[in-house]
Amino acid sequence: MCYCIASYMMQDCGMDFDRDASTGYLVNLLARLLAKQLEARIKPHGLALGAFPALLHLWENDGLTQKDLVDRLGIEQPTMAATLARMERDGLVTRQKDEADARVQRVRLTPRARALKQVAIAEAAEVNALALSGLEPGEQRQFLENLRQVITALQPPKA
């Protein structure tokens, strides 16, 4: 009898699951380790891990809408709404009505969030450097290119 649990085949199916050969398992583990390292570094600056991806986009383009952030981050609307509420509570963003369309709210960085940009990006760069420290520069470039290719393969086609 074959059955599937957590998207891998059990031994009853005659197939072994090797975590060390699973792209999904290894990438998930890597993401969790990177997140843990980043969180430890930005938390002392008053930044929550969940706010960091939105801040990266807002630091590049302040005044995005909530929908813009949802689309760019690939997350659900309720998750983004909760993240923005926490960011507003923490004094990182404000939401302001769009001048051209009162139905739309623009997410604006506060002076506090703008002041944290340099230190937060430096902390993220240190985590990235640590993660890639066992690779030669050429291997680092190839690793990042391979990651981009895998991400592209899994993204839905653009309409």
Side-chain angles (χ1 to χ4, degrees):
M1 174 176 172
C2 281
Y3 55 95
C4 218
I5 296 179
S7 78
Y8 66 88
M9 301 302 287
M10 299 299 292
Q11 285 188 350
D12 288 4
C13 298
M15 298 177 71
D16 290 332
F17 182 81
D18 182 0
R19 290 184 307 270
D20 291 332
S22 168
T23 302
Y25 181 85
L26 291 172
V27 169
N28 181 272
L29 177 59
L30 175 61
R32 287 185 287 121
L33 291 170
L34 287 167
K36 187 175 182 180
Q37 286 284 325
L38 181 60
E39 182 176 38
R41 291 168 182 263
I42 64 173
K43 191 174 183 178
H45 302 289
L47 288 175
L49 184 62
F52 192 72
L55 285 170
L56 287 174
H57 285 280
L58 290 166
W59 284 325
E60 288 177 6
N61 192 2
D62 194 11
L64 294 171
T65 66
Q66 184 170 317
K67 183 177 179 343
D68 292 335
L69 289 167
V70 164
D71 293 342
R72 290 172 187 219
L73 295 172
I75 61 175
E76 297 294 323
Q77 186 81 8
T79 302
M80 189 75 256
T83 298
L84 289 174
R86 285 190 300 275
M87 291 172 71
E88 204 166 20
R89 176 202 68 203
D90 294 343
L92 298 170
V93 298
T94 61
R95 292 186 254 194
Q96 303 169 352
K97 289 193 186 284
D98 185 87
E99 293 177 9
D101 185 348
R103 297 170 299 175
V104 174
Q105 285 193 332
R106 297 277 169 192
V107 180
R108 304 270 181 211
L109 293 168
T110 64
R112 178 175 182 267
R114 283 191 288 279
L116 288 169
K117 178 182 178 181
Q118 187 174 354
V119 69
I121 289 178
E123 296 291 8
E126 285 188 31
V127 171
N128 288 333
L130 175 63
L132 298 175
S133 65
L135 302 175
E136 296 296 324
E139 293 173 320
Q140 292 177 15
R141 285 188 296 278
Q142 186 62 54
F143 176 74
L144 292 172
E145 178 57 30
N146 291 345
L147 280 177
R148 286 189 286 272
Q149 289 172 336
V150 171
I151 290 165
T152 298
L154 294 175
Q155 287 180 329
K158 293 183 181 178

